[in-house]
Amino acid sequence: MNPRPDPADTVVSPLQEPRLPPGQVRTDKWPVLHYGSVPKVDLGAWDLKVYGMVERPARWTWTEFQALPQVTVRSDIHCVTRWSRFDNEWRGVSFAEVMRQVGVKPEARFAIVHAEQGFTTNLALTELIKDDVLFAYQHDGVDLTPEHGWPLRLVVPRRYFWKSAKWVRAIELTDRDRPGFWEQNGYHNEANPWSEERFSDW
């Protein structure tokens, strides 16, 4: 069992104005949205890999990953389907900490996030290394449900929520961008809620 987080150690995602991005409606619910079925996960066989343009490619088992330094982050969610949920508390390992473990090569500029069932999404490293981005296994003090990405999901508060991939299994660092599943199917590559970057112009 993980120790209860100290509120003094909580990272609070900086608020952008307006706090509710254009075209969004606030809700206290957390709708379940994903493509395909919820994967069945065996923690005994689970691992997380980081490879590509890194100095020390790594693989962690579930136990090893939970032994990494932990962080608690409080942030808002903004879904491309026009709902927003404020003040979510996440517990996990920061993206920046994972990058410290592997050592990022200077030419690396993007990350391709690989999830269960072949799903991918893409983000610039400059966005991912912000201190409110993390690999989360808990939400509001309890473990994530499988429908919401258990055992591990990425959380990127400053982007529409499809960039916060569920069921993450690997991170690939590259020197060039490579659109992921939703980005190849009509969604915007950058996904900034305050610019309403919902759909691609490609």
Side-chain angles (χ1 to χ4, degrees):
M1 178 178 292
N2 293 285
R4 187 174 182 82
D6 182 346
D9 295 333
T10 298
V11 173
V12 179
S13 185
L15 298 180
Q16 300 189 47
E17 294 298 337
R19 186 174 184 184
L20 189 68
Q24 297 292 108
V25 175
R26 184 179 176 184
T27 181
D28 292 327
K29 298 178 181 179
W30 189 7
V32 175
L33 298 168
H34 56 259
Y35 179 83
S37 60
V38 176
K40 296 186 183 300
V41 177
D42 174 7
L43 287 182
W46 184 95
D47 61 6
L48 179 72
K49 298 176 183 177
V50 182
Y51 63 98
M53 291 182 170
V54 297
E55 301 291 347
R56 300 174 296 279
R59 171 189 173 273
W60 292 279
T61 65
W62 179 247
T63 300
E64 291 168 341
F65 187 77
Q66 289 211 313
L68 295 176
Q70 304 284 300
V71 65
T72 300
V73 174
R74 188 165 70 248
S75 63
D76 298 343
I77 294 171
H78 307 295
C79 183
V80 71
T81 59
R82 300 185 181 274
W83 58 265
S84 293
R85 188 180 191 275
F86 289 176
D87 295 320
N88 302 270
E89 187 174 274
W90 310 95
R91 183 74 173 165
V93 178
S94 73
F95 188 93
E97 174 61 35
V98 171
M99 294 301 100
R100 281 191 288 271
Q101 295 283 330
V102 298
V104 179
K105 291 187 175 181
E107 60 268 33
R109 295 177 55 225
F110 298 94
I112 312 303
V113 182
H114 296 262
E116 298 280 2
Q117 302 173 336
F119 178 88
T120 61
T121 192
N122 57 305
L123 284 149
L125 282 176
T126 52
E127 184 64 31
L128 289 167
I129 61 172
K130 297 182 188 304
D131 64 359
D132 56 358
V133 177
L134 77 159
F135 296 99
Y137 60 86
Q138 284 189 350
H139 175 264
D140 287 349
V142 298
D143 286 350
L144 289 166
T145 64
E147 291 80 9
H148 283 302
W150 181 89
L152 199 70
R153 78 173 299 157
L154 181 65
V155 179
V156 188
R158 306 177 210 212
R159 292 293 180 259
Y160 281 126
F161 209 43
W162 86 79
K163 292 286 191 179
S164 297
K166 300 178 183 181
W167 313 302
V168 174
R169 294 298 303 274
I171 308 296
E172 175 189 0
L173 268 56
T174 71
D175 60 354
R176 63 187 63 188
D177 203 4
R178 192 166 78 234
F181 175 84
W182 288 112
E183 295 80 11
Q184 293 178 43
N185 285 278
Y187 283 74
H188 199 283
N189 199 52
E190 301 302 324
N192 185 329
W194 287 269
S195 300
E196 289 202 84
E197 292 174 340
R198 301 176 191 274
F199 304 108
S200 173
D201 294 328
W202 299 350

